[in-house]
Amino acid sequence: MQLLEREHCLAELATWQHMAVRANGCIVLLAGEAGIGKTALLQEFAQRRSDVRLLWGGCDALFTPRPLAPLHDIARQTRGKLATTLASGAGPEPIFTAALDEFEHTQALIVIEDVHWADEATLDLLKYLGRRIHRTHSMLAVTYRDDELGPQHPLRLVIGDLPRANTHRMSLAPLSETAVTQLAKRAGRTAAGLHGVTGGNPFFVTEVLASSGDAVPATVRDAVLARAARLSPGARQIAELVCVVPGRTEPWLLEPIARPAEAAIEDCLAVGMLRHGDSSLGFRHELARRALEHALPEARRRWLHAQVLEVLGARSGVPAARLAHHADSARNGRQVLRYAPLAAAEAAAVGSHREAAAHYQAALRYADDVGAIERARLLENLSYECWLTGDNERAFEARRSALEIWRARSMPLREGDALQWLSRLFWFMGNSAQADECCDKAIATLASLPAGAELARAYCRRADLAMEAHETDLAIESSLRAIELAEQLADTEILCDASKVLGTTRLIIGDTAGWADLHRVLQLALAAGSQEFIARAYNDLAAMAVSRRQYEQASGYMRTGLAYCEEHDLDWVQTYMLAYRARMRFERGEWSAASEDVEAVLASPRTAAITRIPALRTLAHLRVRRGDPDAGGPVREARALAGPAPVLQRAGMLALVCAEAAWLADDRQGVIREVQPVYELTRKRRDPRMNGELAAWLWRVGALEELPADVAEPYAMEIAGDWRAAAGAWRALGCPYEYACLLAWHGVETEQREALTILEQLGAAPAARSLRRRMRLKGVRRIPRGSRPSTREHPLGLTRREAEILGLLADGLRSSSIARRLFVSPKTIEHHVSAILAKLGVSSRAEAVALTHGRTRQSPT
C-alpha cells in the first residue's frame, strides 16, 4: 500500500542518511503508537536507498526478552566476527566492540525495532553505540512506542543519555481524515465514521477496510478477528499456531505441528500474515498476533505452546529464553525449572540483569515441589540479580527466604553468608541498626567455622559499617582482619573492598597512609583487569580528595575516572563520581556547574539512594546559599532515603546544611537544635573535619562547651580566635564563600566590601543581604546594591536548565510534556518551575511567560 502523508518523513531520513555517509554517523529515534507505521516507513525508505547496506533487527515480544535479540538478528545477516563473538558466550564488552567494528567498516542503515521491549543488554548496546556512532558512516534507526514509556521506563534513561549532536528525533502522527477517506475510496468502502473510530491509525484503518461487513469494528481486536473468521479450517490451524510464536515461525517448527498445505498458507497471507525470505511465517503486526492469541481458549493456547515447546526442545541451538517462554505459557513447571535458570544465566552473562531476575522469578513460581536447597539457591540468585538492578526490597525478601531454608537445614556456612548479604541490603535500604545486627550475627555464625571467603566478606562488611558510623578503631581492626584472610585466600575482590575501607578510614582520621591503601586498590584492580573495581578505585580516590579539600588532586582523579566510566559505560559509578564533583564545584564557588552535576545525578530514577543523598545535600546547600525556594525539600528527601537511623556521616552532613539555613535566617537556636545532637555523638569519634564543622557552628552561636580533641583547620584557627589565619587558610584551599563569610563577620570596612563583591559574584544573595545590614548598622555609606540582572550569566538570573524549561513553558507545554521532552520526572519539572517563579518574582506560569515575552520585545534586534 502506498504510504500517505509520510513524504516529509522520508525526506528527513534521506537527509540524515546522506549526512551520515558524508560526515559522521547518527541515531534516529522513531517514535509512535502501535500501528502508526514505523516499520512501513523504514521499509519504504530502505527500498529507496539501495546504495547503503541494510541491517535489520528487532526486540522480542517474549514475556522476558531474549538478551541482545536484535544483535543476533543482525549477526545472521553480517556473519563473520560479530556472529562468532555472540556464539562464543563472551561478555558485553567484546560483543559491543564487535558490533561497533562491523558498523565502522560499512555505510549502512541499521534498524532496531521495538526497543520498548528491549532487554537490559540491548539498552546498554544502544547507549554504547550512541556514544560512538559518530565514528561510523551509518545511520542507526531505533523504533519505539512512546505511549508505552512510563516515567520509570529504562529506555527513557538511555534516550536522555544519547549525545544530542548525533541524535535525531521523529514522531509519526496519525493520518488525517483526508488520507483515511482516500484509503477508503481505494478499497471501495465508505469512509463514514472511519477516522473517528480508528483515530487515523494506519494499521487499524487497513484492518477495518479489510474486514467484511458494513459495520465498522470498534477495536483493532474486533477487526483482526473479523478477518480471521474468514479462514478455512486448515488456514485457521496455521494462524493459531503462528499467533503463539512471537516474531517468526520457522518452517521446521510449523511442519511437524500443523503440516500446512500451500493453499492454506495462501489463505493466511490473504488476511494479513507475511511469508519471509526464509519461508518463515509471521503476522504483519504484533497487534494482530496478540489479538488472535488472546482470543484463543485457554486450553487451546496452552496445548499449542506445549507443541511448540516439544519441537523447540528437540532442536539444538534454540535460546533458553525462547524455551522458557513457551514452557511458562504451557504451564509446564518441570520445563520452566529446566530452562528458566539457563536463560537467567545467559541474560546475566551479557548484563541483562532485569531479565535474569524475571527468569528466576518464573522458576520460583514452580519451585514448591523442588528440594529445599535448590529453592534456596534460586532465591539467592534472584536476590543477587535484583540487587544489581537496584530492586533492594525484592532482593531482601528473596535473601531472607533463603536464610530461613539454610537455618532449617542447619547449614551455618550458607546461613552466615546470607546474614552478611542481609546486612548489606539493610544498609542500602537505610536501616543501619538492622545492618549492624545482621553483620554481628554473620560474624558470630561464621567465626566458629574454618575461615573462608564468607568470614572475610563479613569482616569487610563490619569494617564498612563501622566506617560509616565513624567507629574508626573498629573499622580499621575489621578491615585488617578481612585483608589478612583475603591474602590467604588470594581473593582480589575482598582484598580490594577491605583495603578501600582501610584507606578511607585512615584518611578520615587524618592518617595520610590511607592514600597508599587506596592506590593499592587501584593497582590490584588494574592488574586484575576488573573494570568495576578500577572505576570504584578512581571514585574512592576522588571522593576522599574532595573530603580533604585537595581539589587539584580530586580533579585529576575525576578526569581519569569519569573518562574511564564513559569509555566502559559504567554509569552507576560515573553518577556517584558526578555527585562528588558537584560537591567539589560547590565548595570552590562554581555553583552553576555544581547545579548541572546535581541535575545529572538526580535526573535518573535509577540513581541509588547512596548516590542521591550526597547530591540532594549539595542541592539543598546550593538553595540555602543562593536563597532559592524549597531548600528544605531536598533535605527531607535525603533524610527519608537515609532511613530512621541514618549513619553518622549522613546525619552530620545534613545537619550542617540546616544549621547554615538557620544562621542565615538569624535563628541561633535553630543552629543549636540542628547541630548539638549530632555533635554529642561525633565529638567522641575521630573525624577532624566533621568535628571541626559542627564545633565551629556551635562556637559561632556561643554554645560550644567542650572542644573535641581532633579539629581540622581552618576550623581550629577560627575557634581559637585567629579568624584572619582561618580566612587565609580558606582562600588557600580555594573556598571563596567561607573566606568571604569570615571577612564579612569579623573584618573592617575594606574587607567587608571585598566580601560583598565575592558574595555577589557567587550569587549568595542571603549572605550578601545579611552583610549589607551589618554594614549599615556600623554606619558604612555607599554600600553597593549588587550586580544588575543584565550582568549575570542569564538576564533573568536563571540556570541553563531553568531557562530551557521557561522556554518550553512559553511554547505552551505542560509539566508532563516537558518532563517527557527532557526525560525527567514531572516532580523535577515542578521543582524547577517553583524556582523560576521565585527568581522572577511572579506567582504564575502565565506571568513568567509574559515577562519573558516582554523582555524579548524590548531587546534590540
Side-chain angles (χ1 to χ4, degrees):
M1 179 181 295
Q2 178 188 354
L3 294 185
L4 299 180
E5 301 182 336
R6 296 291 187 255
E7 282 301 325
H8 67 288
C9 297
L10 291 166
E12 282 195 312
L13 290 172
T15 299
W16 296 334
Q17 181 83 65
H18 178 77
M19 291 167 57
V21 170
R22 295 285 182 173
N24 299 320
C26 66
I27 287 184
V28 174
L29 301 174
L30 181 55
E33 64 183 22
I36 201 67
K38 302 181 291 293
T39 300
L41 177 71
L42 290 174
Q43 288 174 337
E44 175 67 20
F45 177 69
Q47 288 180 357
R48 298 185 182 189
R49 291 302 303 261
S50 58
D51 56 322
V52 296
R53 187 183 186 189
L54 177 62
L55 299 172
W56 201 293
C59 297
D60 288 337
L62 302 175
F63 292 147
T64 303
R66 178 166 54 106
L68 297 173
L71 201 56
H72 282 275
D73 293 342
I74 290 170
R76 282 193 291 271
Q77 300 159 47
T78 63
R79 305 183 186 277
K81 181 181 176 182
L82 177 57
T84 302
T85 307
L86 278 168
S88 70
E93 186 173 20
I95 291 173
F96 293 177
T97 301
L100 183 62
D101 288 344
E102 186 72 49
F103 302 154
E104 281 182 327
H105 295 93
T106 188
Q107 297 176 357
L109 167 63
I110 307 157
V111 177
I112 297 182
E113 289 196 281
D114 297 321
V115 292
H116 50 277
W117 289 328
D119 64 285
E120 193 172 2
T122 298
L123 293 177
D124 289 341
L125 171 67
L126 289 178
K127 189 162 48 181
Y128 176 92
L129 293 176
R131 293 171 176 174
R132 298 161 178 83
I133 197 70
H134 64 279
R135 303 180 190 175
T136 77
H137 293 288
S138 296
M139 183 168 80
L140 172 60
V142 176
T143 75
Y144 64 98
R145 299 177 186 174
D146 53 350
D147 59 329
E148 295 187 16
L149 299 190
Q152 307 298 318
H153 197 290
L155 178 58
R156 283 190 171 276
L157 310 181
V158 174
I159 291 174
D161 283 342
L162 294 175
R164 295 186 179 183
N166 304 106
T167 303
H168 307 291
R169 298 171 187 268
M170 180 181 290
S171 184
L172 297 187
L175 299 177
S176 68
E177 190 166 0
T178 301
V180 171
T181 300
Q182 188 176 345
L183 290 173
K185 286 181 179 178
R186 290 179 184 174
R189 300 282 297 272
T190 177
L194 185 56
H195 187 271
V197 171
T198 63
N201 181 287
F203 175 74
F204 195 177
V205 172
T206 55
E207 288 298 305
V208 170
L209 293 177
S211 63
S212 59
D214 296 329
V216 176
T219 65
V220 170
R221 178 180 180 276
D222 293 339
V224 170
L225 296 182
R227 295 183 73 180
R230 305 202 304 266
L231 290 171
S232 65
R236 177 82 184 192
Q237 186 179 7
I238 296 171
E240 289 182 352
L241 173 61
V242 174
C243 81
V244 303
V245 181
R248 300 180 179 186
T249 304
E250 299 89 341
W252 51 261
L253 175 57
L254 186 65
E255 179 63 33
I257 302 173
R259 304 193 183 281
E262 183 61 29
I265 293 177
E266 292 297 330
D267 283 350
C268 290
L269 300 180
V271 297
M273 288 175 60
L274 296 175
R275 178 151 49 186
H276 301 282
D278 59 358
S279 296
S280 62
L281 293 179
F283 280 84
R284 189 165 61 86
H285 201 285
E286 179 65 13
L287 284 174
R289 186 194 71 79
R290 290 192 173 188
L292 189 54
E293 182 183 19
H294 292 162
L296 292 175
E298 173 68 15
R300 173 69 174 166
R301 185 164 60 245
R302 289 172 61 174
W303 183 85
L304 287 166
H305 279 291
Q307 295 299 302
V308 171
L309 176 63
E310 184 178 348
V311 176
L312 293 179
R315 190 178 180 88
S316 63
V318 176
R322 188 177 182 185
L323 290 159
H325 170 84
H326 291 290
D328 195 15
S329 298
R331 302 298 185 264
N332 188 329
R334 185 173 62 84
Q335 296 292 5
V336 170
L337 287 167
R338 177 184 178 186
Y339 292 120
L342 292 175
E346 290 177 0
V350 294
S352 289
H353 298 293
R354 282 194 307 272
E355 287 67 35
H359 284 303
Y360 283 125
Q361 285 179 296
L364 283 162
R365 287 198 295 270
Y366 300 93
D368 290 341
D369 297 329
V370 302
I373 291 177
E374 183 181 351
R375 179 175 174 78
R377 286 173 177 159
L378 286 171
L379 286 164
E380 288 193 332
N381 289 335
L382 171 62
S383 177
Y384 183 68
E385 296 300 330
C386 288
W387 176 69
L388 288 175
T389 61
D391 190 352
N392 291 321
E393 291 185 3
R394 186 171 294 174
F396 173 82
E397 291 301 327
R399 189 71 64 168
R400 185 168 63 179
S401 297
L403 172 63
E404 293 171 358
I405 294 174
W406 300 132
R407 278 179 175 165
R409 303 285 294 184
S410 298
M411 300 178 71
L413 184 66
R414 304 307 312 147
E415 178 184 345
D417 199 46
L419 284 165
Q420 178 270 137
W421 264 105
L422 285 175
S423 172
R424 182 190 299 260
L425 291 165
F426 267 126
W427 186 80
F428 270 95
M429 293 189 294
N431 194 329
S432 56
Q434 288 293 324
D436 279 329
E437 183 180 339
C438 281
C439 189
D440 290 341
K441 288 180 179 178
I443 292 174
T445 301
L446 295 167
S448 61
L449 304 173
E454 293 81 4
L455 180 60
R457 280 194 292 267
Y459 277 131
C460 193
R461 181 99 289 274
R462 165 48 60 212
D464 207 1
L465 291 170
M467 178 189 70
E468 293 289 346
H470 285 215
E471 298 174 359
T472 51
D473 291 340
L474 178 58
I476 291 173
E477 176 192 346
S478 299
S479 58
L480 288 171
R481 286 189 176 186
I483 288 170
E484 181 182 2
L485 284 173
E487 289 175 338
Q488 292 173 9
L489 298 165
D491 192 314
T492 301
E493 183 175 329
I494 298 175
L495 185 57
C496 284
D497 273 338
S499 298
K500 170 252 185 182
V501 177
L502 177 63
T504 302
T505 305
R506 282 174 168 169
L507 290 171
I508 286 173
I509 65 177
D511 182 356
T512 56
W515 289 120
D517 297 315
L518 295 184
H519 278 285
R520 182 191 186 193
V521 174
L522 179 58
Q523 294 308 313
L524 286 168
L526 288 168
S530 171
Q531 294 179 7
E532 177 185 342
F533 276 91
I534 292 169
R536 285 170 56 183
Y538 282 123
N539 178 70
D540 294 332
L541 286 163
M544 290 313 300
V546 171
S547 180
R548 293 173 60 82
R549 295 194 173 95
Q550 296 173 220
Y551 299 127
E552 291 304 317
Q553 188 176 343
S555 295
Y557 291 135
M558 284 179 181
R559 277 194 301 272
T560 306
L562 288 170
Y564 187 87
C565 290
E566 179 80 14
E567 178 64 24
H568 297 281
D569 299 289
L570 295 165
D571 289 356
W572 69 272
V573 184
Q574 183 181 45
T575 305
Y576 201 80
M577 208 176 299
L578 284 176
Y580 271 97
R581 190 174 73 176
R583 190 69 207 173
M584 178 182 72
R585 287 173 161 178
F586 168 76
E587 292 178 357
R588 298 180 79 173
E590 301 165 4
W591 290 357
S592 293
S595 181
E596 290 175 7
D597 280 345
V598 166
E599 285 181 3
V601 173
L602 298 180
S604 169
R606 293 175 64 190
T607 299
I610 58 171
T611 306
R612 292 186 71 84
I613 290 171
L616 287 165
R617 169 228 180 173
T618 300
L619 175 60
H621 222 156
L622 275 166
R623 289 181 177 179
V624 166
R625 289 190 177 177
R626 291 192 303 207
D628 292 344
D630 193 26
V635 172
R636 289 189 295 273
E637 184 178 347
R639 283 177 169 164
L641 290 171
V647 294
L648 201 54
Q649 175 73 15
R650 294 171 180 171
M653 291 296 100
L654 294 173
L656 289 167
V657 175
C658 295
E660 186 168 333
W663 170 270
L664 289 170
D666 290 325
D667 181 4
R668 300 304 190 259
Q669 289 302 311
V671 174
I672 297 171
R673 281 195 307 272
E674 293 292 345
V675 173
Q676 192 73 53
V678 183
Y679 179 68
E680 290 302 316
L681 297 173
T682 62
R683 68 186 181 88
K684 302 170 186 175
R685 312 287 170 85
R686 296 168 64 190
D687 184 345
R689 173 169 172 170
M690 177 73 77
N691 287 338
E693 287 193 79
L694 293 167
W697 277 115
L698 291 175
W699 182 81
R700 289 164 190 160
V701 296
L704 182 63
E705 298 178 357
E706 182 180 353
L707 188 66
D710 294 324
V711 176
E713 303 294 0
Y715 304 110
M717 297 174 182
E718 181 184 354
I719 294 171
D722 192 353
W723 71 266
R724 289 188 187 279
W730 283 119
R731 182 167 56 182
L733 287 170
C735 300
Y737 183 84
E738 288 77 5
Y739 169 67
C741 283
L742 287 176
L743 295 184
W745 297 338
H746 307 290
V748 298
E749 180 180 335
T750 55
E751 291 167 320
Q752 288 183 325
R753 288 183 181 276
E754 180 186 355
L756 189 56
T757 299
I758 294 170
L759 294 174
E760 284 291 340
Q761 290 172 344
L762 290 171
R769 285 195 300 269
S770 176
L771 176 54
R772 287 193 185 90
R773 287 196 300 270
R774 188 187 297 265
M775 294 172 74
R776 281 195 294 269
L777 289 173
K778 291 172 65 174
V780 177
R781 295 189 172 187
R782 297 191 182 91
I783 301 171
R785 291 185 176 182
S787 60
R788 295 177 178 273
S790 58
T791 66
R792 297 174 185 162
E793 184 177 348
H794 185 274
L796 296 173
L798 304 181
T799 67
R800 187 170 65 185
R801 177 50 66 91
E802 289 167 350
E804 183 179 16
I805 290 171
L806 181 55
L808 294 172
L809 288 173
D811 290 339
L813 273 67
R814 297 179 179 272
S815 291
S816 56
S817 300
I818 296 173
R820 286 194 296 272
R821 177 80 63 90
L822 301 181
F823 295 97
V824 298
S825 70
K827 182 179 178 182
T828 298
I829 298 300
E830 291 298 335
H831 284 318
H832 282 302
V833 171
S834 297
I836 292 168
L837 299 183
K839 287 184 178 182
L840 301 186
V842 297
S843 58
S844 71
R845 299 174 184 221
E847 290 180 85
V849 171
L851 179 61
T852 306
H853 288 162
R855 292 189 61 85
T856 303
R857 286 193 298 269
Q858 294 167 15
S859 62
T861 57

